[in-house]
Amino acid sequence: MSRKQYSRYVLVVDNLSSSTPSSDIQYEFEDAGKVLHVSRDYKTRCALVEFDRASDAKYAWSKMDGFKMDGRRWKVDWASRADFELFGWRWTEGRSPSPRRRSRSRSPATPLDKDTKRRNSHSPERQRSVSP
């Protein structure tokens, strides 16, 4: 049986009033930090709030759970995979970022003249022999 996974950057807000717009939700959460996106589902009366930083999401979770607006007390928790699926969001938590590919070129990113290369080199100056 797999363990339930939760997001570190996205919170789910339940028990929203049907009259509370996404802009009001975003406004209330921005006191905690930079909000990247708010998705509102009026049918289920919930929303997903995505933060730029995990620490901001954690702070918002601690401050906003139980917040009262438009006659409703909000229930704020960490978003799960099921919440992402409900909103049609792609789950990206726990994935390691794709490895950065190393350039095949061995030349420096910016062209240097020969004198600059020699001054910065730590090895003794070498010359190639001419092949026959």
Side-chain angles (χ1 to χ4, degrees):
M1 190 163 131
S2 67
R3 191 176 75 165
K4 197 168 186 179
Q5 294 178 319
Y6 295 96
S7 173
R8 296 178 316 142
Y9 296 91
V10 182
L11 299 174
V12 62
V13 185
D14 284 320
N15 199 32
L16 295 169
S17 168
S18 58
S19 64
T20 306
S22 298
S23 58
D24 287 358
I25 298 166
Q26 182 167 349
Y27 177 80
E28 294 299 333
F29 276 95
E30 282 180 339
D31 285 340
K34 184 177 179 182
V35 174
L36 297 178
H37 188 73
V38 175
S39 282
R40 173 84 160 84
D41 183 45
Y42 286 91
K43 184 177 178 184
T44 60
R45 293 189 178 200
C46 65
L48 290 184
V49 181
E50 180 181 18
F51 285 88
D52 186 39
R53 296 177 11 188
S55 58
D56 293 344
K58 185 176 181 180
Y59 179 75
W61 172 74
S62 68
K63 294 296 178 185
M64 298 302 291
D65 187 34
F67 179 77
K68 194 170 182 180
M69 180 180 229
D70 296 329
R72 301 297 227 56
R73 189 168 304 279
W74 292 358
K75 171 65 181 136
V76 179
D77 209 345
W78 298 101
S80 67
R81 276 182 178 255
D83 297 320
F84 274 66
E85 289 172 11
L86 174 70
F87 282 84
W89 286 22
R90 185 172 160 217
W91 179 261
T92 56
E93 295 285 329
R95 246 183 227 190
S96 60
S98 59
R100 294 181 185 242
R101 301 215 180 248
R102 198 176 223 188
S103 171
R104 290 181 183 223
S105 171
R106 292 185 181 210
S107 62
T110 57
L112 299 172
D113 63 342
K114 288 182 182 180
D115 292 332
T116 307
K117 284 183 186 177
R118 276 193 212 117
R119 273 186 302 211
N120 292 336
S121 174
H122 297 292
S123 60
E125 197 171 320
R126 297 183 204 169
Q127 291 185 348
R128 292 184 181 208
S129 61
V130 180
S131 59

